[in-house]
C-alpha cells in the first residue's frame, strides 16, 4: 500500500485560510440600518449621512413591516457577529 503525504505548503495554505476566515468573522461589525429615533421606522440610508439627515444608525435587531426591534442606537450595546453570536443586542 502506497502512502500519500500532504505537501507542507498545502497544509500551511489551508491553515492560513482558516485563520483568515476566523479573524474576519470575529471582527465583523453589527448590521446597521438608518432609522427614526422616536418611531424606529426604517429610513433611506441618505437620512443618516451628514448633519442634514433626520435619522440615526440602528445596530443589530430585525425589521418587521418597516419597524426595527431587538437592536440599539448605541453600537457598543450590540453584540458583534461571528461564531457563537446571535447578532442581536438589547435596546
Amino acid at each position: 500500500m502506497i502512502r500519500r503525504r500532504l505537501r507542507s505548503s498545502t497544509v500551511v495554505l489551508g491553515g492560513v485560510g482558516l485563520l483568515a476566515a476566523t479573524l474576519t468573522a470575529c471582527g465583523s461589525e453589527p448590521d446597521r440600518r438608518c432609522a427614526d429615533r422616536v418611531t424606529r421606522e426604517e429610513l433611506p440610508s441618505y437620512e443618516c449621512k451628514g448633519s442634514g439627515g433626520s435619522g440615526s444608525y440602528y445596530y443589530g435587531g430585525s425589521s418587521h413591516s418597516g419597524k426595527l426591534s431587538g437592536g440599539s442606537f448605541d453600537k457598543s450595546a450590540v453584540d458583534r457577529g461571528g461564531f457563537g453570536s446571535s447578532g442581536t443586542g438589547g435596546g
Side-chain angles (χ1 to χ4, degrees):
M1 180 179 233
I2 300 173
R3 283 187 159 188
R4 273 184 66 191
R5 293 183 66 191
L6 290 176
R7 293 185 178 167
S8 61
S9 61
T10 304
V11 174
V12 170
L13 289 176
V16 170
L18 180 61
L19 178 63
T22 302
L23 292 175
T24 301
C26 290
S28 64
E29 295 290 318
D31 290 339
R32 74 176 185 184
R33 299 174 180 91
C34 188
D36 182 278
R37 278 196 169 270
V38 176
T39 64
R40 291 192 182 187
E41 288 184 24
E42 199 163 356
L43 300 173
S45 62
Y46 65 81
E47 290 290 346
C48 286
K49 294 181 180 170
S51 59
S54 63
S56 296
Y57 284 116
Y58 187 84
Y59 298 93
S62 58
S63 176
H64 301 285
S65 301
K67 288 257 190 181
L68 300 172
S69 64
S72 176
F73 287 103
D74 180 10
K75 182 179 179 181
S76 64
V78 179
D79 291 335
R80 293 182 182 196
F83 296 114
S85 174
S86 65
T88 61

